[in-house]
Amino acid sequence: MIEEGSKSCKAMVEKRQLFMEMRAQNFDVIRLSTYRTACKLRFVQKRCNLHLVDVWNMIEAFRDNGLSTLDHNAEINVSRLETILSSIFYQLNKRLPTTHQINVEQSIGLLLNFIVATYDSEGHGKLTVFAMKAMLATMCGGKILDKIRYIFSQISDSNGVMVFAKFDQFLREVLKLPTAVFEGPSFGYNEHSVRTCFPQQKKILLNTFLDVLMADPPPQCLVWLPLMHRLANVENVFHPVECSYCRSESMMGFRYRCQQCHGYQLCQSCFWRGHASGPHSNQHQMKEHSSWKSPAKKLSHAISKSLGCMPIGESPHPVFPEAAERPQDLVHTTNTLESPSRLDEEHRLIARYAARLAAEASNSTQCPPSDLSFNFDANKQQRQLIAELENKNREILQEIQRLRLEHEQASQPTPEKAQQNPTLLAELRLLRHRKDELERRMSALQESRRELMVQLEGLMRLLKQDEEQKQAVQTGGSPHSSPGHSASCTMPMPIRSTSAGSTPTHTPQDCLAGVGDDVLDAFSQGVPRNLRNDLLVAADSITNTMSSLVKELHSVDDGLEEEEENMRNGREKEERKSYRFDMRLSQSKRI
């Protein structure tokens, strides 16, 4: 009893393991339901290693397990489903190199529990063949074009026309996948789903089916399917652009550019979470970019488009013949193909390869030894090439990680950098202080010079009036032109030593208070002196003092400029080093 209880508990934990891991990824913070659904299903695909299996491997597994001859509505039990999954993953491990083998048992257990939880929620222990084919064909890797063509072969009649009832059954089964990852309210099945995909068409052929399901945008109920493929294609795409919200210097995955805010770009994480900054709003239209083009490539693309060198309105898929194609189960494949003209080159190559494999398996004893050795050598060379490429890719990723760590360490401030050359910093501060003092002294001397020039101008005017009075006395002029009368003229200048109560009757000697000795001597002596020469001497002394002060200030400026030039050169070296790192990082990413 205890063992049975522990086994049931273990089985319950295994059933919930995938969903618990998916919840731990916190996909529910993604704002848009389409991206949220695609991310969840992509996680399930990678966690179960279905991204390593394409639709042609699925077709081969269906054929090997006898599903091609069963009716779509036939039921299979869980044991047979487990056998089919085992065949798929064991064959996958045979194709993979020894360094990239997967855990087959774990992959089988996770995928089996997910399929049972999705298609057998009531616990009957059975599911239909069509449900299993639709689920595995949708969730496997490979090209979306191949998937849709296989799906059409399963829902069309012998004339190559889609049967609406079968397409409705396909939607009913495939839309259980979003419901299984808790996105049923957005992408659940309803009876109007078929008509929303094909509202007017009555006769749906292969090309029409491809046009609708691969359109941009696709039908609303299946919009997550092409997005899941685009997610797989951009997981390792690098964009050397800064995100306008999180300020990340590079982006991985999708890049979104606002059509209204110039130069505003968001990484996929910020866009999915609805982040916005500045004038940008979540209501603005955003354009999704899945690759990075340099300005030169953009210019070349624009020129080619303007010159008509690029096709306009080209179909997103190749146009196939309208004749009906038989279901792509590869059951009746032989060395001689039926109606090869009805198949494109890709189908012929795949069929020939499958036929050769079947012939080698059935007639292995009849094959010449040279052919066997050739095939073995070719497969061995291919495996070696794949292993070498994977090792090279691993080395490139390690180099990118190392360069990224070096860049982060170089960009982080350290105490050593902050305290680098303290003597130089102290001298720089001292020179700046000395420069400030000299600037203050120079401005004070300039103010003194201005005041002195005003005083000298007033003194010259007084001297001229005194000489005119003396000439008037000598020639017998009127007594009104006396020195006392001339002294009543005030001087239009600020004199520091003059008090507020000074009157216009002061003599010229009183007006000289605070003026230099040369000027005082010129007015104090009884014999008139040539005051113009004395004033010029005083002006020359002031000019010499100003010149010496300017020279000293220039010397300080030269020292400061030299120190700033040294610091600028250091910063330029750091910037060139960072630029070389970014270039090496972008080159490594492109490789």
Side-chain angles (χ1 to χ4, degrees):
M1 293 291 293
I2 297 176
E3 291 183 358
E4 292 179 358
S6 61
K7 289 182 180 179
S8 61
C9 293
K10 183 179 179 181
M12 186 63 67
V13 171
E14 290 177 351
K15 288 182 179 180
R16 296 182 178 180
Q17 178 182 356
L18 184 63
F19 296 99
M20 293 170 63
E21 293 179 2
M22 184 179 65
R23 287 183 181 275
Q25 298 296 318
N26 200 19
F27 291 120
D28 290 331
V29 300
I30 300 176
R31 180 171 58 99
L32 302 176
S33 60
T34 305
Y35 287 95
R36 194 166 59 241
T37 305
C39 287
K40 290 180 178 180
L41 292 177
R42 174 63 177 166
F43 172 78
V44 174
Q45 183 190 53
K46 294 182 67 176
R47 189 66 181 86
C48 297
N49 289 315
L50 279 175
H51 66 295
L52 302 175
V53 185
D54 60 19
V55 69
W56 305 110
N57 303 134
M58 290 294 180
I59 294 173
E60 186 177 359
F62 298 158
R63 181 201 63 190
D64 293 341
N65 289 273
L67 299 181
S68 302
T69 58
L70 294 180
D71 185 76
H72 282 174
N73 295 323
E75 293 183 342
I76 58 173
N77 54 26
V78 177
S79 300
R80 188 169 183 183
L81 175 61
E82 185 175 3
T83 303
I84 298 170
L85 299 182
S86 301
S87 173
I88 293 172
F89 288 113
Y90 278 112
Q91 289 296 327
L92 171 62
N93 251 0
K94 291 180 180 180
R95 294 189 298 270
L96 294 176
T98 55
T99 56
H100 287 72
Q101 297 289 301
I102 65 170
N103 189 336
V104 174
E105 298 298 332
Q106 184 183 34
S107 301
I108 294 172
L110 290 174
L111 183 56
L112 180 64
N113 291 327
F114 179 74
I115 295 176
V116 171
T118 304
Y119 294 98
D120 189 28
S121 58
E122 298 180 358
H124 297 304
K126 294 182 179 180
L127 71 159
T128 63
V129 172
F130 185 75
M132 187 200 62
K133 286 184 177 181
M135 183 272 171
L136 292 177
T138 303
M139 291 296 294
C140 69
K143 299 179 180 179
I144 188 173
L145 176 64
D146 296 334
K147 289 185 180 182
I148 298 177
R149 289 189 64 191
Y150 173 73
I151 292 168
F152 183 81
S153 69
Q154 300 298 305
I155 61 175
S156 59
D157 58 16
S158 58
N159 296 321
V161 179
M162 186 190 77
V163 180
F164 277 89
K166 291 185 177 180
F167 180 66
D168 181 77
Q169 185 182 2
F170 166 74
L171 289 181
R172 190 187 303 271
E173 301 297 344
V174 81
L175 292 180
K176 290 180 181 178
L177 293 172
T179 305
V181 293
F182 314 107
E183 296 296 334
S186 300
F187 300 104
Y189 170 81
N190 59 72
E191 59 273 11
H192 304 293
S193 299
V194 176
R195 287 301 173 187
T196 57
C197 297
F198 302 99
Q200 297 178 355
Q201 296 90 340
K202 295 183 179 180
K203 183 179 180 181
I204 309 300
L205 300 177
L206 174 60
N207 291 317
T208 307
F209 189 75
L210 293 174
D211 289 338
V212 172
L213 266 66
M214 298 185 66
D216 187 17
Q220 181 60 31
C221 60
L222 295 174
V223 69
W224 49 269
L225 179 57
L227 179 58
M228 187 173 68
H229 283 263
R230 296 205 306 273
L231 282 173
N233 294 331
V234 302
E235 283 182 348
N236 297 319
V237 174
F238 175 77
H239 305 268
V241 182
E242 182 184 27
C243 177
S244 300
Y245 182 84
C246 67
R247 299 301 176 186
S248 175
E249 295 182 356
S250 59
M251 303 180 190
M252 293 294 292
F254 286 120
R255 171 171 56 93
Y256 297 89
R257 181 165 56 88
C258 182
Q259 301 298 290
Q260 299 183 28
C261 304
H262 177 70
Y264 194 90
Q265 303 191 73
L266 292 176
C267 62
Q268 68 177 21
S269 178
C270 294
F271 175 75
W272 289 354
R273 285 158 176 77
H275 293 162
S277 60
H280 178 69
S281 170
N282 289 331
Q283 304 302 321
H284 290 181
Q285 184 179 2
M286 303 290 286
K287 185 176 181 180
E288 182 182 277
H289 294 271
S290 58
S291 62
W292 164 255
K293 292 183 180 179
S294 63
K297 288 185 178 179
K298 291 180 180 179
L299 179 61
S300 174
H301 181 81
I303 293 174
S304 301
K305 189 174 182 180
S306 62
L307 295 177
C309 300
M310 300 182 62
I312 301 176
E314 185 180 0
S315 176
H317 62 82
V319 179
F320 299 99
E322 296 295 343
E325 291 185 351
R326 64 180 184 277
Q328 300 170 8
D329 285 323
L330 305 181
V331 182
H332 305 291
T333 306
T334 59
N335 289 322
T336 303
L337 295 176
E338 293 183 4
S339 302
S341 60
R342 298 177 354 185
L343 300 176
D344 61 303
E345 184 65 22
E346 182 180 4
H347 271 204
R348 288 199 298 269
L349 291 175
I350 293 172
R352 289 172 185 168
Y353 176 70
R356 189 178 66 184
L357 291 178
E360 289 175 357
S362 60
N363 302 320
S364 59
T365 57
Q366 300 177 3
C367 292
S370 59
D371 293 344
L372 293 176
S373 61
F374 174 77
N375 293 333
F376 178 77
D377 293 339
N379 293 333
K380 184 178 180 180
Q381 291 177 0
Q382 291 177 358
R383 288 196 296 269
Q384 290 177 353
L385 179 60
I386 292 173
E388 291 176 0
L389 292 175
E390 289 174 347
N391 292 332
K392 186 65 176 178
N393 187 30
R394 195 157 40 247
E395 293 175 0
I396 292 173
L397 292 177
Q398 292 176 357
E399 180 69 14
I400 291 173
Q401 185 67 20
R402 184 184 65 80
L403 293 174
R404 186 174 296 167
L405 291 176
E406 289 181 0
H407 179 64
E408 291 178 356
Q409 293 175 0
S411 62
Q412 290 178 355
T414 58
E416 291 78 4
K417 291 183 180 180
Q419 299 177 2
Q420 184 179 10
N421 202 349
T423 305
L424 182 62
L425 295 177
E427 292 180 357
L428 185 60
R429 284 195 295 268
L430 183 61
L431 288 173
R432 290 187 183 278
H433 181 67
R434 177 64 175 165
K435 179 183 178 182
D436 295 338
E437 290 182 353
L438 291 176
E439 287 178 349
R440 288 194 296 270
R441 182 180 174 188
M442 183 175 180
S443 51
L445 288 175
Q446 288 176 347
E447 183 66 22
S448 300
R449 180 183 181 185
R450 187 184 65 80
E451 294 179 358
L452 183 59
M453 289 302 175
V454 174
Q455 293 177 5
L456 291 176
E457 184 181 359
L459 291 174
M460 292 297 294
R461 190 160 48 249
L462 290 175
L463 180 61
K464 184 177 181 181
Q465 292 176 0
D466 188 43
E467 290 178 355
E468 290 176 354
Q469 290 175 2
K470 288 180 180 181
Q471 291 177 1
V473 170
Q474 290 177 1
T475 57
S478 63
H480 295 287
S481 60
S482 62
H485 179 73
S486 63
S488 63
C489 298
T490 60
M491 296 173 60
M493 61 190 178
I495 301 179
R496 295 178 181 178
S497 59
T498 304
S499 62
S502 61
T503 62
T505 59
H506 287 172
T507 62
Q509 286 77 7
D510 294 333
C511 296
L512 294 176
V515 184
D517 294 336
D518 292 337
V519 180
L520 291 176
D521 292 339
F523 284 93
S524 62
Q525 295 180 2
V527 182
R529 294 177 56 187
N530 189 357
L531 293 181
R532 183 183 301 275
N533 294 334
D534 295 334
L535 293 175
L536 291 175
V537 169
D540 289 340
S541 64
I542 294 174
T543 303
N544 293 333
T545 303
M546 293 292 294
S547 299
S548 62
L549 182 60
V550 169
K551 289 180 180 179
E552 187 175 0
L553 185 61
H554 284 334
S555 64
V556 174
D557 288 338
D558 292 339
L560 285 173
E561 290 178 357
E562 183 177 358
E563 296 299 331
E564 291 177 353
E565 183 67 24
N566 293 334
M567 296 178 70
R568 191 181 300 111
N569 291 335
R571 286 196 301 269
E572 290 178 355
K573 290 180 180 179
E574 292 294 331
E575 291 176 356
R576 286 196 296 269
K577 182 179 178 182
S578 176
Y579 175 76
R580 287 195 299 268
F581 164 77
D582 292 337
M583 291 297 295
R584 291 173 61 189
L585 181 61
S586 63
Q587 290 175 0
S588 301
K589 281 288 184 180
R590 286 195 295 270
I591 295 174

